[in-house]
């Protein structure tokens, strides 16, 4: 405060004790923060601090900028430079510059807020959720969820809808919980017994439950079967997908689910499954292009892990903080690199072999594999000893300095010469023994004196690979003597690194009390003090069922995210999930789907459409298009073609020719035969530069980065896919075959097929249309038409 001036500081301190009475109490979060975010912090915040003024934090705002005049004097609006600037009569001096002036209402809000003491409330998402029970009850309410919804509806002058029919409800809950339509037996049973809870329990215990919910998590984990970037070569990481399916099916508690993915390798004696779980962060892309800087892309992978972890588990947009302070939220650049430091000491290093790898051997081969690994280690030590002798070190120096001499370069191939030059060029940038060992091994690979040893190593490696049909990239921490220092990167540039930063979490959130590594961070995420974790996961599950999250911006719980539509409900669910349900995902989903809110019919009145077109108040049941995976799986299910085979390497169902044309790798699409042709979408091979086209048309992401929300589109291409794509046409043929085998007239056959597809019989008018269509074509075209009805592609 010396540069600020003691007298001004005392004045501010005295004024801050005064609480003005101007007008009604102004709420900072709902009235003042939006004005600051929208009109002020672009120039006076985390990205820019023009004139030295930062309005993101109260203490910095009170200090003022370069002029020395306090921007805000609590209790004294007329003496505050902020008010003087926004009301200045000269446009050249008025703030905000080069923009529309603040409205009179906005200025009055700022005045009253300052007069009342300029309180700077914390954003709601950074306060711990508090569980409050609503004091409302009526016959419609089945759950506390409903009581919160009714409260909101009452304020809007709306009332809930009637309960959906048994056929609609059976299809809705089956698609939501398993991603598949119900069987006709399940529908008939529900309609006969009205035992909805029994159906819910049956669906929750279905093996298909895990497949449906793993598909959601794969977007978050940016899972793919290829490495990304230009070459986009194959990667064997499908065991992580299978781990997810098993985790959801076994109802693994969400705290365990989180910790194992972020730090499974850091348990004292990690199991194979805990190691596989860490592939969550090995899904980051690997760049195999020639001439790239390995360290640059290692850093890029760490940056991706930081951003992904904060978005997935904390609903926080941390990505921009790599280069500067957050534009709106209370995170400074040092906070990003404190998180970066938690991930910066893993052994992977953007290499084509993707080490470290978990190799899994059949029991019959484990003894042989163990011997092969010992032999490989021995050969490796011999190579190290060979390339570390004084004579070889001198020879390498000669090569580096004399590659232009034909008598020297003649001993090496052009590729080897280029490799030696490249290695020599980056040698000075290696900081750790781990990297120097890697460099030494690269020299060994071009050293003629190691030719026999290298041949032996290659043969042993091939034998080991043949014995291990399954390999999975996993996380592994570096030993203490090889740990990297983390420095702030100026504007995110890895070439310009400045001050050292210790591992940690943002100062705006609770302290990190555990070890300063990935395990401590994972435990911090799942701690009772963390205000974000349970809210974020509850919101994700709610979004899947209702189409919109309670916080619509499920990727951003920050100050410019969309405020919760039902804040008390969100907090009740968050505390309930953590404390009462012990992090049970199945328990939470059951609570949601048993609610009267979920069971409403999706019919809409003109009044509701006018007052709430997007159904944010939940005055009716959810109605929106199915996901790409659900559309494909439903088509296969009703056709009778869907395989129930689970797990294993990804498969390649039919797709148009010519999708995969990449000159930089040898990948090609080999269309699956037998039941692999008809497996669920979650098992489809996912190439980042060429996702499965029919699903890409229905908005699946490329998975190069974490995706929290798929944005649903509506395009003519989607109709062309469901009408003409080979997979959908095969499904139509399968449904037609089922219709053909039904005993009865053509009209009966069509009625039966329609019931299979939509869980209820068609109206007479609809049936007449379909019968007339069959008379002009065949049952396959009728089946194809049924599977292109809006009702078939929509959950209602």
């Amino acid at each position: 405060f010396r540069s600020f001036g003691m007298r001004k500081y005392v004045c501010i301190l005295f004024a801050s004790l005064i609480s003005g009475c101007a007008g009604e109490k102004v709420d900072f979060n709902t009235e003042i923060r939006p004005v600051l975010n929208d009109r002020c912090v672009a120039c006076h915040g985390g990205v820019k601090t023009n004139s030295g003024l930062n309005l993101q934090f109260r203490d910095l705002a009170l200090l003022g900028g370069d002029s020395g005049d306090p921007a805000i004097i609590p209790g004294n609006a007329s003496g505050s430079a902020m008010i003087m600037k926004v009301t200045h009569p000269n446009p050249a001096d008025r703030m905000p510059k080069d923009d529309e002036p603040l409205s009179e209402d906005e200025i009055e809000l700022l005045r009253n807020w300052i007069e009342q003491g300029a309180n700077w409330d914390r954003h709601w998402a950074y306060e711990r959720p508090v569980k409050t029970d609503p004091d409302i009850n009526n016959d419609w309410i089945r759950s506390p969820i409903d009581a919160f919804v009714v409260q909101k509806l009452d304020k809007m002058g709306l009332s809930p809808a009637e309960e959906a029919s048994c056929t609609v409800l059976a299809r809705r809950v089956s698609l939501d919980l398993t991603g598949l339509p119900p069987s006709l037996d399940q529908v008939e049973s529900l309609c006969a017994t009205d035992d909805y809870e029994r159906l819910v329990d049956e669906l929750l215990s279905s093996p298909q439950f895990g497949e449906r919910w793993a598909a959601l998590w794969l977007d978050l984990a940016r899972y793919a079967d290829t490495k990304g970037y230009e070459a986009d070569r194959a990667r064997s990481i499908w065991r992580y997908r299978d781990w997810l399916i098993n985790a959801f099916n076994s109802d693994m508690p969400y705290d365990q689910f989180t910790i194992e993915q972020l730090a499974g390798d850091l348990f004292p004696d990690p199991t194979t499954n805990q190691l596989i779980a860490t592939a969550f962060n090995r899904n980051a892309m690997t760049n195999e292009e020639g001439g790239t800087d390995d360290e640059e892309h290692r850093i890029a992978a760490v940056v991706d892990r930081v951003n992904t972890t904060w978005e997935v588990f904390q609903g926080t947009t941390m990505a921009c903080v790599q280069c500067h302070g957050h534009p709106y939220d209370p995170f400074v650049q040092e906070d990003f690199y404190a998180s970066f430091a938690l991930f910066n000491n893993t052994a992977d290093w953007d290499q084509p072999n993707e080490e470290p790898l978990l190799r899994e051997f059949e029991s019959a081969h484990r003894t042989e594999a163990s011997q092969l690994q010992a032999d490989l280690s021995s050969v490796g030590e011999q190579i190290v000893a060979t390339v570390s002798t004084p004579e070889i070190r001198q020879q390498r120096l000669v090569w580096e300095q004399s590659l232009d001499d034909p008598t020297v370069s003649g001993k090496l191939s052009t590729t080897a010469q280029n490799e030696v030059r490249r290695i020599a060029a980056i040698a000075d940038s290696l900081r750790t023994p781990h990297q120097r060992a890697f460099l030494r091994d690269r020299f060994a690979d071009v050293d003629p004196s190691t030719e026999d040893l290298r041949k032996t190593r290659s043969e042993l490696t091939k034998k080991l690979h043949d014995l291990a049909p399954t390999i999975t990239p996993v996380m592994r921490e570096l030993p203490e003597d090889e740990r990297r220092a983390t420095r702030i990167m100026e504007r995110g540039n890895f070439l310009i690194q400045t001050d050292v930063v210790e591992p940690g979490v943002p100062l705006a959130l609770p302290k990190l009390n555990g070890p300063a590594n990935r395990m401590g961070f994972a435990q911090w995420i799942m701690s009772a003090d963390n205000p974000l974790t349970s809210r974020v996961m509850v919101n994700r599950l709610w979004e899947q069922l209702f189409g919109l999250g309670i916080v619509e911006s499920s990727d951003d719980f920050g100050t410019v995210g969309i405020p919760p539509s039902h804040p008390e409900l969100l907090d009740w669910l968050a505390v309930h999930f953590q404390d009462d349900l012990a992090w049970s995902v199945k328990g939470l989903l059951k609570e949601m789907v048993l609610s009267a809110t979920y069971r409403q019919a999706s019919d809409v009145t003109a009044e509701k459409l006018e007052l709430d077109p997007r159904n944010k108040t939940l005055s009716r049941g959810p109605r929106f298009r199915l996901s790409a995976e659900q559309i494909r799986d439903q088509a296969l299910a009703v056709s009778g073609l869907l395989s129930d085979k689970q797990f294993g390497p990804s498969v390649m169902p039919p797709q148009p020719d010519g999708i995969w044309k990449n000159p930089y790798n040898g990948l090609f699409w080999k269309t699956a035969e037998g039941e692999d042709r008809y497996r669920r979408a979650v098992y489809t091979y996912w190439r980042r530069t060429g996702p499965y086209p029919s699903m890409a048309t229905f908005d699946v992401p490329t998975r190069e980065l974490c995706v929290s929300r798929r944005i649903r589109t509506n395009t003519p291409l989607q109709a062309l896919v469901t009408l003409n794509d080979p997979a959908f046409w095969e499904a139509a043929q399968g449904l037609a075959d089922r219709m053909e085998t039904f005993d009865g007239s053509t009209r009966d056959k069509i009625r039966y097929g329609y019931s299979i597809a939509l869980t209820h019989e068609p109206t007479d008018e609809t049936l007449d249309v379909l019968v007339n269509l069959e008379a002009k074509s065949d049952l396959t075209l009728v089946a194809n038409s049924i599977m292109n009805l809006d009702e078939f592609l929509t959950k209602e």
Side-chain angles (χ1 to χ4, degrees):
F1 293 109
R2 282 192 288 270
S3 62
F4 177 64
M6 181 58 70
R7 184 164 61 178
K8 289 180 180 176
Y9 172 65
V10 172
C11 290
I12 288 177
L13 183 63
F14 175 75
S16 67
L17 300 176
I18 302 172
S19 179
C21 302
E24 295 182 2
K25 179 68 175 177
V26 178
D27 182 76
F28 176 79
N29 278 326
T30 62
E31 298 179 285
I32 300 301
R33 194 190 294 277
V35 175
L36 297 181
N37 282 347
D38 187 45
R39 308 303 306 277
C40 305
V41 298
C43 295
H44 303 289
V47 181
K48 297 179 183 178
T49 51
N50 290 359
S51 303
L53 176 62
N54 189 326
L55 294 177
Q56 267 192 301
F57 302 93
R58 187 176 194 268
D59 54 348
L60 297 179
L62 296 185
L63 284 178
D66 297 338
S67 68
D69 295 325
I72 298 170
I73 302 177
N76 183 2
S78 61
S80 297
M82 171 184 277
I83 300 300
M84 297 177 191
K85 285 290 187 181
V86 299
T87 60
H88 202 288
N90 185 349
D93 295 319
R94 186 173 56 224
M95 293 293 173
K97 275 189 178 295
D98 304 321
D99 203 352
E100 288 292 319
L102 298 186
S103 69
E104 288 298 324
D105 288 344
E106 290 171 328
I107 292 171
E108 189 63 19
L109 271 177
L110 290 174
R111 278 200 184 102
N112 289 342
W113 169 64
I114 294 174
E115 289 293 341
Q116 293 170 10
N119 292 323
W120 215 284
D121 301 329
R122 282 164 61 89
H123 181 54
W124 65 267
Y126 307 137
E127 299 283 0
R128 285 183 63 180
V130 176
K131 187 179 182 183
T132 56
D133 294 316
D135 57 351
I136 188 170
N137 193 22
N138 63 40
D139 293 340
W140 181 76
I141 292 173
R142 295 176 180 269
S143 158
I145 291 173
D146 306 322
F148 289 109
V149 171
V150 166
Q151 276 187 334
K152 186 68 173 275
L153 292 176
D154 286 346
K155 291 178 182 177
M156 294 283 292
L158 296 172
S159 57
E162 297 293 325
E163 184 168 311
S165 68
C166 57
T167 57
V168 168
L169 196 55
R171 182 170 181 267
R172 177 190 298 173
V173 74
S174 183
L175 285 168
D176 274 340
L177 294 184
T178 69
L180 296 172
S183 67
L184 288 180
D185 288 343
Q186 288 175 317
V187 177
E188 291 170 2
S189 175
L190 176 61
C191 292
T193 66
D194 199 31
D195 193 347
Y196 175 64
E197 186 172 359
R198 185 176 67 81
L199 174 61
V200 169
D201 288 337
E202 181 181 334
L203 296 170
L204 288 170
S205 62
S206 164
Q208 285 71 48
F209 173 86
E211 293 172 327
R212 182 267 186 266
W213 291 94
L216 159 69
W217 202 263
L218 293 177
D219 276 4
L220 297 170
R222 69 268 192 247
Y223 169 90
D225 294 296
T226 58
K227 302 176 185 179
Y229 292 111
E230 187 177 35
D232 200 24
R233 294 189 174 92
R235 164 184 283 163
S236 175
I237 202 166
W238 54 266
R239 289 284 275 124
Y240 170 72
R241 178 246 292 141
D242 289 357
W243 179 89
L244 279 178
I245 294 170
N246 282 320
F248 279 111
N249 274 338
S250 66
D251 198 22
M252 180 183 288
Y254 186 62
D255 54 349
Q256 179 185 351
F257 179 81
T258 299
I259 292 171
E260 290 194 4
Q261 288 183 85
L262 294 179
D265 59 307
L266 296 180
F267 283 96
D269 187 18
T271 64
T272 295
N273 280 336
Q274 286 170 335
L275 292 174
I276 290 171
T278 68
F280 171 80
N281 268 321
R282 292 305 306 279
N283 281 312
M285 296 193 292
T286 297
N287 196 334
E288 296 185 355
E289 297 173 34
T292 59
D293 189 312
D294 294 329
E295 179 66 2
E296 177 184 7
H297 288 282
R298 184 196 71 80
I299 288 173
V302 178
V303 167
D304 173 69
R305 290 164 190 169
V306 173
N307 297 338
T308 297
T309 301
W310 277 97
E311 180 173 338
V312 170
F313 299 103
Q314 302 292 275
T316 297
T317 55
M318 191 61 77
C320 57
V321 191
Q322 177 191 0
C323 300
H324 46 67
H326 199 288
Y328 307 105
D329 297 338
F331 306 127
V332 297
Q333 193 180 18
E334 288 83 354
D335 292 334
F336 180 91
Y337 289 99
S339 294
F340 185 98
L342 295 164
F343 290 89
N344 196 28
N345 283 292
T346 57
D348 57 285
W349 197 40
D350 196 63
Q351 295 305 305
N353 62 16
E354 300 224 283
E355 290 283 357
L357 296 168
L358 173 67
R359 292 179 169 86
E360 297 179 76
F361 303 97
E362 301 291 340
S363 57
H365 300 309
R366 285 174 188 162
T367 301
E368 183 180 358
S370 178
Q371 183 60 53
L372 283 171
Q373 287 173 320
D375 293 344
L376 264 174
S377 178
S378 175
V379 170
E381 290 173 1
Q382 293 177 57
I383 291 174
V384 168
T386 301
V387 300
S388 298
T389 62
E391 294 79 11
I392 295 300
R393 285 201 299 272
Q394 181 62 34
Q395 183 62 56
R396 288 204 307 270
L397 181 62
V398 171
W399 286 346
E400 292 169 30
Q401 295 174 345
S402 310
L403 280 174
D404 293 332
D405 184 342
T407 61
V408 175
S409 60
K411 299 178 182 179
L412 298 173
S413 67
T414 301
T415 301
Q417 294 177 47
N418 291 337
E419 181 69 357
V420 171
R421 283 196 179 99
R422 192 180 73 83
I423 293 169
I426 65 171
D428 292 339
S429 68
L430 303 182
R431 295 188 297 269
T432 69
H434 172 74
Q435 291 170 318
R436 288 196 295 274
F438 175 82
L439 178 64
R440 179 189 57 218
D441 291 344
R442 281 295 184 89
F443 270 120
D445 287 342
V446 297
D447 190 331
S449 66
T450 64
E451 182 176 355
D452 292 340
L453 289 171
R454 284 186 284 120
K455 183 178 179 181
T456 301
R457 181 176 63 180
S458 178
E459 292 170 351
L460 290 171
T461 301
K462 185 180 185 306
K463 288 181 181 178
L464 191 64
H465 182 78
D466 291 343
L467 287 181
T470 304
I471 57 172
T472 306
V474 295
M475 298 287 271
R476 189 179 71 218
E477 201 79 347
L478 290 174
E480 283 297 324
D481 62 345
E482 296 186 20
R483 297 183 69 80
R484 305 178 181 97
T486 295
R487 298 176 181 273
I488 294 175
M489 299 177 197
E490 189 174 308
R491 307 297 295 177
N493 186 345
F494 87 105
L495 295 174
I496 307 175
Q497 301 191 22
T498 58
D499 299 335
V500 173
V501 176
E502 294 301 317
V505 295
L507 294 176
L509 294 172
K511 292 182 179 180
L512 181 71
N513 291 321
N517 58 17
R518 284 181 288 118
M519 178 60 79
F521 187 40
Q523 292 168 341
W524 173 84
I525 285 174
M526 298 312 306
S527 70
D529 292 332
N530 191 302
L532 289 163
T533 307
S534 55
R535 281 181 175 131
V536 169
M537 186 54 176
V538 160
N539 194 65
R540 292 197 191 284
L541 300 179
W542 185 275
E543 179 184 44
Q544 292 294 304
L545 300 180
F546 291 93
L548 290 176
I550 298 174
V551 176
E552 185 177 345
S553 54
S554 54
D555 56 336
D556 186 4
F557 275 53
T559 60
V560 294
I562 299 174
S565 59
H566 298 73
E568 296 85 3
L569 171 58
L570 178 65
D571 280 8
W572 186 90
L573 287 168
V575 177
H576 184 57
F577 181 39
Q578 182 171 343
D579 293 351
D580 305 330
L581 297 175
W583 298 111
S584 167
V585 169
K586 285 188 176 182
L588 184 59
L589 287 170
K590 182 175 180 178
E591 184 94 41
M592 291 177 180
V593 300
L594 288 181
S595 70
T597 301
Y598 178 81
R599 299 194 209 186
Q600 295 177 94
S602 60
D603 302 333
V604 61
T605 64
E607 179 190 22
K608 289 181 178 180
L609 198 58
E610 180 181 359
L611 292 176
D612 186 18
R614 302 180 67 220
N615 197 26
K616 296 192 75 170
T617 62
L618 302 165
S619 65
R620 56 191 184 274
R623 187 182 190 280
F624 52 90
R625 198 192 64 211
L626 299 174
S627 71
E629 291 90 343
Q630 289 171 326
I631 289 172
R632 171 183 166 79
D633 292 348
Q634 179 184 226
L636 291 174
V638 303
S639 73
L641 295 174
L642 182 66
S643 167
D644 60 3
K645 179 181 176 181
Q646 292 191 301
F647 311 125
S650 298
V651 297
M652 297 180 177
Q655 74 169 10
D657 294 335
I659 300 296
W660 280 18
K661 286 188 176 179
N662 188 323
Y664 300 104
N665 66 46
L667 287 180
F668 63 95
W669 187 269
K670 184 178 180 181
T671 302
E673 300 294 335
E675 67 175 327
D676 280 351
R677 188 181 182 95
Y678 308 114
R679 293 187 65 189
R680 291 196 69 173
V682 73
Y683 299 110
T684 299
Y685 195 96
W686 204 286
R687 184 178 181 184
R688 285 177 159 129
T689 56
Y692 192 59
S694 66
M695 292 200 291
T697 305
F698 283 97
D699 309 319
V700 299
T702 60
R703 291 189 180 155
E704 292 168 299
L705 299 170
C706 166
V707 172
S708 288
R709 289 190 294 159
R710 291 186 188 178
I711 305 301
R712 285 185 288 271
T713 63
N714 189 2
T715 74
L717 288 177
Q718 293 160 355
L720 292 174
V721 165
T722 52
L723 283 168
N724 302 303
D725 183 88
F728 285 92
W729 190 251
E730 281 190 70
Q733 290 174 322
L735 178 57
D737 290 342
R738 295 185 72 182
M739 295 161 67
E740 190 64 60
T741 59
F742 186 77
D743 188 18
S745 66
T746 298
R747 193 176 184 87
D748 293 334
K749 293 177 188 293
I750 294 174
R751 181 186 291 110
Y752 172 68
Y754 189 100
S755 300
I756 291 173
L758 295 167
T759 71
H760 66 87
E761 293 191 352
T763 64
D764 288 339
E765 182 181 10
T766 299
L767 190 54
D768 288 342
V769 172
L770 293 174
V771 170
N772 289 335
L773 177 63
E774 192 278 337
K776 299 174 184 177
S777 55
D778 56 23
L779 275 179
T780 298
L781 190 58
V782 171
N784 183 254
S785 300
I786 291 172
M787 294 167 65
N788 274 275
L789 292 173
D790 181 64
E791 185 182 354
F792 185 78
L793 303 173
T794 302
K795 182 190 80 173
E796 53 180 349

